[in-house]
Short mmCIF file of all heavy atoms in Angstrom, two decimals:
data_model
loop_
_atom_site.label_atom_id
_atom_site.label_comp_id
_atom_site.label_asym_id
_atom_site.label_seq_id
_atom_site.Cartn_x
_atom_site.Cartn_y
_atom_site.Cartn_z
N GLU A 222 -10.62 8.74 2.42
CA GLU A 222 -11.90 9.35 2.31
C GLU A 222 -13.05 8.67 3.11
O GLU A 222 -14.14 9.21 3.26
CB GLU A 222 -12.40 9.35 0.85
CG GLU A 222 -11.63 10.28 -0.06
CD GLU A 222 -12.02 11.74 0.15
OE1 GLU A 222 -13.10 12.00 0.65
OE2 GLU A 222 -11.17 12.63 -0.20
N SER A 223 -12.69 7.54 3.73
CA SER A 223 -13.69 6.71 4.49
C SER A 223 -14.32 7.55 5.63
O SER A 223 -13.56 8.33 6.27
CB SER A 223 -13.00 5.47 5.00
OG SER A 223 -13.96 4.79 5.91
N SER A 224 -15.64 7.35 5.81
CA SER A 224 -16.30 8.01 7.00
C SER A 224 -15.82 7.40 8.30
O SER A 224 -16.05 8.05 9.39
CB SER A 224 -17.75 7.74 6.88
OG SER A 224 -18.19 6.37 6.89
N ARG A 225 -15.11 6.32 8.29
CA ARG A 225 -14.61 5.69 9.53
C ARG A 225 -13.33 6.30 9.97
O ARG A 225 -12.79 5.97 11.04
CB ARG A 225 -14.46 4.19 9.36
CG ARG A 225 -15.73 3.42 9.39
CD ARG A 225 -16.21 3.25 10.80
NE ARG A 225 -15.30 2.36 11.63
CZ ARG A 225 -14.67 2.69 12.68
NH1 ARG A 225 -14.73 3.94 13.10
NH2 ARG A 225 -13.87 1.84 13.29
N THR A 226 -12.64 7.08 9.09
CA THR A 226 -11.31 7.60 9.46
C THR A 226 -11.29 9.13 9.30
O THR A 226 -12.05 9.71 8.67
CB THR A 226 -10.23 6.99 8.45
OG1 THR A 226 -10.41 7.59 7.20
CG2 THR A 226 -10.25 5.49 8.41
N VAL A 227 -10.32 9.70 10.06
CA VAL A 227 -9.85 11.08 9.89
C VAL A 227 -8.62 11.00 8.99
O VAL A 227 -7.56 10.50 9.47
CB VAL A 227 -9.62 11.75 11.16
CG1 VAL A 227 -9.18 13.23 10.97
CG2 VAL A 227 -10.81 11.69 12.07
N GLY A 228 -8.73 11.41 7.77
CA GLY A 228 -7.59 11.20 6.82
C GLY A 228 -6.60 12.38 6.88
O GLY A 228 -7.02 13.57 6.98
N HIS A 229 -5.31 12.09 6.77
CA HIS A 229 -4.27 13.05 6.77
C HIS A 229 -3.31 12.78 5.59
O HIS A 229 -2.74 11.72 5.57
CB HIS A 229 -3.50 13.05 8.11
CG HIS A 229 -4.32 13.16 9.29
ND1 HIS A 229 -4.65 14.45 9.79
CD2 HIS A 229 -4.88 12.25 10.15
CE1 HIS A 229 -5.49 14.20 10.88
NE2 HIS A 229 -5.60 12.87 11.04
N CYS A 230 -3.21 13.69 4.65
CA CYS A 230 -2.30 13.57 3.55
C CYS A 230 -0.92 14.06 3.92
O CYS A 230 -0.84 15.21 4.42
CB CYS A 230 -2.79 14.27 2.32
SG CYS A 230 -1.82 14.02 0.78
N VAL A 231 0.10 13.26 3.77
CA VAL A 231 1.48 13.66 4.21
C VAL A 231 2.40 13.60 2.98
O VAL A 231 2.09 13.01 1.94
CB VAL A 231 1.97 12.68 5.33
CG1 VAL A 231 1.10 12.77 6.54
CG2 VAL A 231 2.07 11.23 4.83
N THR A 232 3.55 14.23 3.16
CA THR A 232 4.53 14.29 2.04
C THR A 232 5.81 13.59 2.31
O THR A 232 6.63 13.44 1.38
CB THR A 232 4.78 15.78 1.75
OG1 THR A 232 5.29 16.41 2.91
CG2 THR A 232 3.54 16.49 1.30
N SER A 233 6.06 13.18 3.54
CA SER A 233 7.30 12.54 3.86
C SER A 233 7.19 12.02 5.33
O SER A 233 6.24 12.36 6.10
CB SER A 233 8.44 13.55 3.83
OG SER A 233 8.29 14.60 4.90
N PRO A 234 8.15 11.12 5.76
CA PRO A 234 8.11 10.69 7.15
C PRO A 234 8.24 11.84 8.18
O PRO A 234 7.52 11.81 9.17
CB PRO A 234 9.42 9.80 7.27
CG PRO A 234 9.53 9.25 5.84
CD PRO A 234 9.11 10.38 4.93
N HIS A 235 8.94 12.88 7.81
CA HIS A 235 9.08 14.02 8.66
C HIS A 235 7.76 14.74 8.82
O HIS A 235 7.31 15.08 9.94
CB HIS A 235 10.15 14.99 8.19
CG HIS A 235 10.26 16.28 9.00
ND1 HIS A 235 10.82 16.31 10.22
CD2 HIS A 235 9.72 17.51 8.78
CE1 HIS A 235 10.80 17.56 10.65
NE2 HIS A 235 10.08 18.30 9.86
N ASP A 236 7.08 14.84 7.73
CA ASP A 236 5.73 15.48 7.77
C ASP A 236 4.72 14.67 8.53
O ASP A 236 3.90 15.21 9.29
CB ASP A 236 5.18 15.72 6.30
CG ASP A 236 3.96 16.49 6.25
OD1 ASP A 236 3.77 17.49 6.97
OD2 ASP A 236 3.06 16.10 5.35
N THR A 237 4.84 13.33 8.45
CA THR A 237 3.98 12.45 9.27
C THR A 237 4.25 12.71 10.75
O THR A 237 3.27 12.81 11.49
CB THR A 237 4.32 11.03 8.92
OG1 THR A 237 4.07 10.78 7.57
CG2 THR A 237 3.44 10.03 9.74
N MET A 238 5.43 12.76 11.12
CA MET A 238 5.78 12.97 12.55
C MET A 238 5.19 14.31 13.03
O MET A 238 4.64 14.40 14.16
CB MET A 238 7.27 12.95 12.83
CG MET A 238 7.88 11.62 12.55
SD MET A 238 9.70 11.65 12.53
CE MET A 238 10.05 12.00 14.22
N GLU A 239 5.31 15.37 12.23
CA GLU A 239 4.78 16.64 12.61
C GLU A 239 3.27 16.65 12.75
O GLU A 239 2.73 17.18 13.76
CB GLU A 239 5.19 17.70 11.60
CG GLU A 239 6.68 18.07 11.57
CD GLU A 239 7.12 18.63 12.91
OE1 GLU A 239 6.46 19.52 13.44
OE2 GLU A 239 8.08 18.04 13.52
N LYS A 240 2.60 15.92 11.87
CA LYS A 240 1.13 15.95 11.92
C LYS A 240 0.63 15.06 13.14
O LYS A 240 -0.32 15.46 13.80
CB LYS A 240 0.59 15.37 10.61
CG LYS A 240 0.56 16.37 9.48
CD LYS A 240 -0.10 15.81 8.27
CE LYS A 240 -0.35 16.83 7.25
NZ LYS A 240 0.82 17.57 6.74
N VAL A 241 1.41 14.01 13.44
CA VAL A 241 1.05 13.22 14.61
C VAL A 241 1.26 14.01 15.87
O VAL A 241 0.43 13.99 16.81
CB VAL A 241 1.95 11.97 14.64
CG1 VAL A 241 1.80 11.24 16.01
CG2 VAL A 241 1.57 11.00 13.56
N ARG A 242 2.30 14.79 15.98
CA ARG A 242 2.55 15.66 17.17
C ARG A 242 1.39 16.62 17.31
O ARG A 242 0.93 16.87 18.44
CB ARG A 242 3.89 16.39 17.04
CG ARG A 242 5.06 15.49 17.26
CD ARG A 242 6.35 16.33 17.38
NE ARG A 242 7.52 15.52 17.66
CZ ARG A 242 8.37 15.20 16.78
NH1 ARG A 242 8.24 15.68 15.48
NH2 ARG A 242 9.44 14.47 17.04
N GLU A 243 0.88 17.21 16.20
CA GLU A 243 -0.17 18.18 16.24
C GLU A 243 -1.45 17.52 16.78
O GLU A 243 -2.20 18.07 17.60
CB GLU A 243 -0.40 18.76 14.88
CG GLU A 243 0.65 19.68 14.43
CD GLU A 243 0.44 20.10 12.94
OE1 GLU A 243 -0.67 19.85 12.46
OE2 GLU A 243 1.32 20.72 12.36
N ILE A 244 -1.72 16.26 16.30
CA ILE A 244 -2.95 15.57 16.70
C ILE A 244 -2.93 15.14 18.20
O ILE A 244 -3.96 15.35 18.88
CB ILE A 244 -3.11 14.41 15.76
CG1 ILE A 244 -3.49 14.80 14.37
CG2 ILE A 244 -4.31 13.44 16.30
CD1 ILE A 244 -3.29 13.75 13.35
N LEU A 245 -1.85 14.65 18.60
CA LEU A 245 -1.72 14.13 19.98
C LEU A 245 -1.28 15.22 20.97
O LEU A 245 -1.34 14.93 22.20
CB LEU A 245 -0.78 12.94 20.01
CG LEU A 245 -1.18 11.72 19.17
CD1 LEU A 245 -0.24 10.55 19.30
CD2 LEU A 245 -2.60 11.27 19.54
#
Side-chain angles (χ1 to χ4, degrees):
E222 290 286 338
S223 172
S224 61
R225 282 284 291 117
T226 68
V227 181
H229 305 274
C230 185
V231 300
T232 57
S233 67
H235 176 76
D236 187 37
T237 300
M238 294 171 67
E239 289 301 308
K240 284 185 168 61
V241 169
R242 286 193 178 101
E243 291 174 10
I244 291 163
L245 297 181

